[in-house]
Structure formats: structure tokens, C-alpha cells
Amino acid sequence: MGGRLVVVSNRIPTEAEPSGGLVVALHSALCAKGGIWIGSHPDLSEAPSAQLQPIGNEQRYTRLAFQITQREHEEFYLGFANSVLWPVCHRRGDLVDFKRSFQNAYMEVNKRLARLIVDVVEPDDLIWIQDYHFFPLASELRKLGFTGRIGFFLHIPFPTLGDLGALPESANLADWLADYDLVGLQTRADVARCLEMFRSQNQAEVMLDGRIKYGAQVFSVRSFPIGIDVKAFARAASQTPTGADLGPDMRGEYILGVDRLDYSKGLPNRFRAFAQYLEKRPDKDRRVSLLQIAPPTREEVMAYKQIRSELEELAGRLNGTHAELDWTPLRYIHRNINRDLLARLYRGARVGMVTPLADGMNLVAKEYVAAQDPDDPGVLVLSHLAGAAEDLTEALLVNPYDIEGMSDALSQALDMPLEERKRRYTACMDQVEKTDVNVWCNSFISALEACEAPLGWGNSTMNHNPRKTLKPAT
Ligand code: GDG
């Protein structure tokens, strides 16, 4: 089918060959199909940008950036996106920090971006919008008369009906989502929560074919579990013999955690569970350490300052209690580390500990599995509240609020016989391969292409998209 792919995401790569699964998948899709990638410029501007500007030297498709101001960075990005929507979606209504100016900036940025996008798209282009920064973008594009296909993918959990109550009334997720043709979510559980939200609305009807009719709009909500570039990750993990370049301290047995330092990732409870494991372990001479890589993120937001202090205090207490003169049980690295080194660290770890309190998918869980040596694999301990748990059912699933349960799971993982480790690894790896990032990307694009064909530009003053009136399912 014709039409270019137009991807819109908050971050846009600037390097010629970008790294990182998601970025690479979108990059390859754009290289194959041609099109445009629109994202936020890494530099802030004095005044809101009046046009999109080319960024980087990519020849195979066009990269365009929009600039936001310092105030918009504070109110749109750190404010509404990350101090309101992020906690609401991660079941942390208690951390919501709402100001009206945040929502105004969020709407302003989305409106401006829509105006910039309509200047560069054609009616038969496929627009694919990524994530919670841009929930209202389709509505804004429709108001400007764009009637072509627009898809949306939410990388984080879809909020529960109860948590949605923490959003201001004017931030109406149902209205915003209904202007897309296809809404992609990470898991079946996310789809169920999204349908529950629509069922609670008088004007919504879930049709027999699963599509939703909302007023005059008809659209689909489906799960597309995101994955990783499995082959590239496995290759990086096996490049150097484990331990050889990691320093003498990493040659012993270790448990690995890798997470942006975010309150959704459940790090304090993970530290507590490790402390409990150390206290209860029968063989006090067994020196298993926990290596926690936790690069900084959104450091200006108060809730992130708090989680950092809490972790530093816990780490200090844990090492103060359990360290020996020649052994530090917890290594906590608050820095970003090189991706290839990370892959090798995954492979060397006896246990990968992924215990978020809420997570859209969690790619670390999939990376840990992909990095293992099939002849001597480590064990994934995985929170049942991570999206990844829906498919990785052969990981050791834990409740991240149950410290004793996680401590027991650590003992079980560390003592697990080789045959059981292999069996669990094979089942998990099978799932990781089936849902790799190219499958994710291609299946979303195919589903969006299969949505009804566009009719062309509408009247720029209209509020509704006439194309999306109810037609029998095909
Ligand atoms: C959001 C959703 C969803 C981490 N530390 C370092 C480093 N990383 C890399 C990991 C992994 C990525 O960052 C983190 O991805 P996650 O999926 O675990 O989590 P979020 O950042 O919260 O991502 C999440 C995802 O979007 C995709 O849809 O799965 O649920 O929250 O790739 O390896 N990479 C390097 N150094 C580090 O120190 N190089």
C-alpha cells in the first residue's frame, strides 16, 4: 500500500547508525519504507519553534526536529508528561504533581506539533505516534483536517479506571484515543484496562469484532508486545569471555539489576530482598553480590530525587551490615554504562533481577534472557507486574511487594539445577525470539496499513473525521 511512514516520538536519534532496540527497529522500518521521523530536538530553544528542522545526516529517510523552550521542558516534559501521566499510568497517584500550567503546556506543544506535522505529510501517509507525551496529537491533527491513518503506541502501562481519576477532567484519554485508527498497547492486560475505560463511557460501544465505536469514531485497540533485537544482543553478550574484562571483583557469583533510577522499577524492595537473602542464606561463606546499574533519569523531578536518597541510604545500610573487609555485597552504579559491556554483564550474572512495581514491558528482562549461554544459563527473577511476565511465564515470577517471596526466589534461582535452568531459559528464549522488535514494528505497521484507506484532506474547520463513521467490519 502507498504512503510513507511518519514516526513521531519524543526522542529522535541524531547519529548515523543508532543503537538500542526500539530506535533501531524504527530506523530500519523507515530505511525500508522511506518516510519521516519527527522528534524533539536535543537542544532547547529561546522561542517555540515555528517549523521542523532537518537533523542528522540520514539519507534514506528524513529526520525532522521540533524545538521546545526551557519552560515547555519544565511544564510539558517534566511536568504533565512525567509528573502527571507517568505516575498515573504506573499506579502512583500519590506522586502526581499537577499544575494547570503543566496541562496548558502539554496541550500547547501537541497543538503546535500538529501544525508542524500537517505541513509535511501527505493524505496517504501513515502516521505512527509513540507514547504518552503525545496522547492528544491525533485529535489536534484531525482538527487541522488530516483524515489519513494515525496509529498510537503506548510504551507504558495503560492506567486503571481508578487511577484515571487523578487526571484533570479535561485530560480525557477516551476522547484523545478515539481519534486514532489503531491504538497499540503492550499487553492483553493493558487492552483489558483500556476497554474497561471505554465501557465506562456512555457513548462507547465495544463491537463484536473487537473494534470500539465512540460517538462517530470507530477504531481498534490491540496488544503488540515490544521486543529487542535478539541476535544483535546475543552476539554482543558472547563477544568476550565473561569476567575477563570485567575486573577481578566481578568474577564471583552475582545477581544483576539494570534499571533507569525510576520509582516504578521497585529498587528499594529489591535491595531489601537481597539484604534478607544475605541474612537467611545457610552458607555464610557463599559470597553472592548484587550489581545494580541505575543510570539517572528526570533528576529535576522531586519524586526522582527522593528515590535516589532512599536507595543511597538503603545501599549504605546494607553494605554497612553485610560487607567484609574483602567483600562488598552491593555494588550500586548510578551511571550509564556501555551497551556491549552491559550485554556481557548480563551473560555473567547467575540471576537477572527485574522487579518493577509496574512496567509497560521491560526490555531488560528480554535482554537478560537473550544474553545467556544456552549451555549454562542464568535465571530470570521477574515481577509479575512487568508486561514481560505475560509471555515469560517460565521466569521465576515474583510479587515485588513481597520481600520474603523475592528473597526466597533468589535462593531458589541461585540453587537451581542446570536442567531446570535450561528448561526455563529455552521457554523464555522462545518467547523473546517470537516477539522480537522487528515483529513488533512490522505487525503494528501492517495493522495500521490494514485500517480503512484515507479519503484525503478534509475541511480544516471540522472537528470530526468523516471517514471514521461506522461501517460494517471487513
Ligand atoms: C519504557 C517502558 C518498555 C538501562 N541502563 C543502561 C542501559 N539501559 C537500557 C536497557 C534497556 C533500556 O535501557 C530500558 O528499557 P526498559 O524497557 O527496561 O524500561 P524503560 O526505559 O522504562 O522503557 C518499558 C519500554 O519503554 C519499551 O517499550 O519496555 O516498560 O517503561 O534497553 O538495556 N543501556 C546502557 N547503559 C545503561 O546503563 N547502554
Side-chain angles (χ1 to χ4, degrees):
M1 281 179 112
R4 298 166 304 174
L5 176 63
V6 178
V7 171
V8 183
S9 62
N10 189 51
R11 286 223 186 116
I12 185 168
T14 49
E15 63 278 25
E17 286 304 326
S19 61
L22 166 64
V23 171
V24 170
L26 292 170
H27 171 75
S28 346
L30 282 160
C31 287
K33 212 176 149 46
I36 309 178
W37 192 333
I38 298 170
S40 171
H41 199 286
D43 302 328
L44 300 176
S45 61
E46 292 284 311
S49 57
Q51 58 190 30
L52 295 169
Q53 11 172 324
I55 189 166
N57 300 318
E58 179 53 55
Q59 306 294 319
R60 292 159 288 185
Y61 62 91
T62 310
R63 286 183 190 159
L64 298 172
F66 61 96
Q67 277 192 298
I68 60 170
T69 62
Q70 176 66 35
R71 182 186 63 78
E72 286 171 338
H73 173 70
E74 286 160 18
E75 297 183 341
F76 153 76
Y77 178 75
L78 295 172
F80 200 73
N82 286 309
S83 299
V84 180
L85 293 172
W86 180 275
V88 164
C89 291
H90 289 86
R91 298 174 208 135
R92 291 300 304 267
D94 58 313
L95 294 179
V96 169
D97 175 14
F98 176 72
K99 293 192 179 63
R100 276 191 203 159
S101 62
F102 291 177
Q103 194 185 352
N104 293 341
Y106 184 76
M107 293 312 297
E108 268 168 38
V109 168
N110 273 277
K111 276 185 209 298
R112 184 166 86 246
L113 183 55
R115 287 197 298 274
L116 299 175
I117 292 173
V118 291
D119 285 344
V120 297
V121 290
E122 302 290 339
D124 62 347
D125 286 343
L126 289 181
I127 304 185
W128 185 8
I129 294 165
Q130 310 284 324
D131 234 355
Y132 59 102
H133 314 86
F134 304 122
F135 275 121
L137 199 46
S139 302
E140 297 303 326
L141 286 162
R142 299 300 185 205
K143 284 181 199 158
L144 296 171
F146 184 77
T147 58
R149 284 158 294 182
I150 315 180
F152 177 77
F153 187 79
L154 182 65
H155 290 260
I156 65 177
F158 196 86
T160 63
L161 200 51
D163 287 331
L164 277 169
L167 287 179
E169 219 175 306
S170 50
N172 191 325
L173 232 53
D175 284 355
W176 289 339
L177 292 180
D179 274 317
Y180 290 92
D181 295 279
L182 175 64
V183 173
L185 303 172
Q186 297 272 25
T187 64
R188 298 184 291 279
D190 288 307
V191 171
R193 285 193 291 273
C194 183
L195 294 186
E196 191 192 10
M197 176 191 76
F198 279 106
R199 284 198 181 97
S200 73
Q201 308 269 325
N202 287 337
Q203 70 269 49
E205 185 190 322
V206 179
M207 293 158 53
L208 285 177
D209 64 3
R211 290 185 303 163
I212 296 173
K213 178 175 179 299
Y214 185 79
Q217 318 288 83
V218 179
F219 60 99
S220 301
V221 178
R222 285 179 48 191
S223 69
F224 297 87
I226 200 168
I228 60 165
D229 184 345
V230 182
K231 287 200 186 82
F233 214 84
R235 206 179 316 119
S238 56
Q239 259 165 14
T240 311
T242 304
D245 60 342
L246 304 179
D249 289 340
M250 292 318 303
R251 287 188 192 144
E253 290 182 298
Y254 64 95
I255 301 159
L256 180 65
V258 178
D259 313 74
R260 284 182 306 100
L261 181 40
D262 194 294
Y263 50 79
S264 64
K265 303 292 182 183
L267 297 177
N269 279 3
R270 188 181 308 169
F271 284 12
R272 291 186 184 105
F274 177 61
Q276 204 170 103
Y277 161 78
L278 292 177
E279 276 152 29
K280 290 202 314 202
R281 72 194 194 281
D283 177 3
K284 296 289 179 213
D285 292 331
R286 188 173 181 186
R287 289 181 169 184
V288 180
S289 50
L290 169 62
L291 171 61
Q292 177 63 54
I293 318 277
T297 180
R298 304 169 197 163
E299 286 178 293
E300 300 96 321
V301 176
M302 184 49 76
Y304 289 77
K305 293 187 206 296
Q306 284 164 350
I307 185 82
R308 182 179 174 182
S309 315
E310 185 182 358
L311 271 189
E312 285 173 355
E313 192 190 319
L314 277 169
R317 201 181 313 145
L318 189 150
N319 277 333
T321 309
H322 297 283
E324 304 286 348
L325 282 176
D326 58 350
W327 181 52
T328 310
L330 172 63
R331 273 146 198 281
Y332 163 55
I333 299 182
H334 185 50
R335 272 195 320 277
N336 207 73
I337 67 160
N338 169 284
R339 196 160 178 79
D340 286 344
L341 174 58
L342 189 65
R344 296 198 292 275
L345 285 170
Y346 280 127
R347 194 177 179 95
R350 294 304 332 150
V351 179
M353 209 175 173
V354 179
T355 53
L357 305 176
D359 219 329
M361 178 55 59
N362 197 298
L363 296 178
V364 170
K366 296 192 173 186
E367 290 167 356
Y368 178 73
V369 172
Q372 294 312 297
D373 174 358
D375 295 327
D376 184 18
V379 180
L380 175 64
V381 172
L382 178 62
S383 158
H384 76 97
L385 298 174
E390 202 165 86
D391 287 332
L392 302 183
T393 50
E394 286 303 309
L396 272 190
L397 295 181
V398 293
N399 173 354
Y401 291 99
D402 175 4
I403 315 275
E404 278 178 273
M406 285 196 287
S407 158
D408 288 349
L410 281 179
S411 303
Q412 188 186 344
L414 288 163
D415 293 336
M416 192 177 284
L418 178 62
E419 283 317 305
E420 184 178 350
R421 282 191 276 132
K422 281 187 178 172
R423 181 181 60 69
R424 288 178 182 271
Y425 158 78
T426 307
C428 288
M429 187 62 171
D430 191 40
Q431 285 300 326
V432 170
E433 282 174 329
K434 268 194 206 147
T435 57
D436 84 359
V437 72
N438 293 313
V439 172
W440 171 77
C441 193
N442 295 335
S443 56
F444 188 94
I445 294 170
S446 304
L448 184 56
E449 278 174 340
C451 291
E452 225 170 293
L455 292 182
W457 294 93
N459 174 341
S460 62
T461 57
M462 73 189 177
N463 282 321
H464 287 288
N465 176 2
R467 177 174 67 78
K468 294 182 72 195
T469 49
L470 180 59
K471 292 220 178 114
T474 47

